[in-house]
Amino acid sequence: MIRKKIIAPVVIGLGAIFLASQVSAQDVVEQRIKLMKANGAASKALKAAVPDKDYATIQVKAKDIAGGMEKVEGLFPKGSTSDKSRALPAIWDKWDEFKSATNNAKKAASELAEAAAAKDASLVDAKYKALGQSCGGCHKPFRAEKK
């Protein structure tokens, strides 16, 4: 009788913890997808703004990407995958490389924003290219192809 009084709450508590971890894993994947879609939209805006030398838009969108990259590491807790996620296990297997890649993207976006603020066309072109390379430097090894 005493065992039932002890075991039942423990089992219920463990079940609740498991369920909460599943919900938060799904939530973090959704947040991650939302952030990446926002970065994609900002990238598309940059693609139009760079040739037009629309420095105000370049600066804003580059800062948006840099700000998003600040959050990326926190949106990849170990094993946070789902059928909606394109995250590869390599993220967690090579965590230091992943962090380095996200930091490179954040730095590239910040440098692009600075170049836009200076209204330096040649520097904007170079930093825009560097941002694209840094994004690919993360997507190629750590993101699965579209399903």
Side-chain angles (χ1 to χ4, degrees):
M1 184 67 156
I2 293 175
R3 277 189 172 166
K4 287 182 182 179
K5 288 183 180 182
I6 293 172
I7 292 174
V10 169
V11 170
I12 291 170
L14 290 174
I17 290 169
F18 175 76
L19 182 60
S21 71
Q22 293 304 304
V23 170
S24 56
Q26 290 171 347
D27 288 346
V28 78
V29 169
E30 292 296 327
Q31 291 172 17
R32 183 164 75 214
I33 290 168
K34 184 178 177 181
L35 174 72
M36 293 303 174
K37 284 183 179 184
N39 279 355
S43 293
K44 286 179 183 176
L46 286 172
K47 186 175 182 179
V50 169
D52 291 344
K53 296 181 180 23
D54 180 354
Y55 297 119
T57 298
I58 296 166
Q59 188 174 10
V60 167
K61 297 304 177 183
K63 283 182 178 182
D64 288 347
I65 292 171
M69 296 311 296
E70 283 282 333
K71 301 172 188 172
V72 168
E73 288 177 33
L75 294 176
F76 285 88
K78 189 166 181 106
S80 60
T81 60
S82 77
D83 57 344
K84 294 180 182 181
S85 176
R86 293 173 60 194
L88 293 173
I91 289 171
W92 300 284
D93 295 340
K94 299 177 180 179
W95 184 252
D96 288 340
E97 290 177 37
F98 177 72
K99 281 179 34 176
S100 178
T102 61
N103 286 331
N104 288 341
K106 180 176 70 176
K107 180 180 177 200
S110 295
E111 289 175 352
L112 176 57
E114 291 169 9
K119 298 182 180 176
D120 183 331
S122 62
L123 189 58
V124 164
D125 289 341
K127 296 303 179 179
Y128 175 66
K129 184 177 179 182
L131 176 59
Q133 289 172 339
S134 71
C135 292
C138 197
H139 288 174
K140 289 176 185 171
F142 299 115
R143 182 178 72 166
E145 295 295 324
K146 283 189 177 182
K147 298 174 185 175

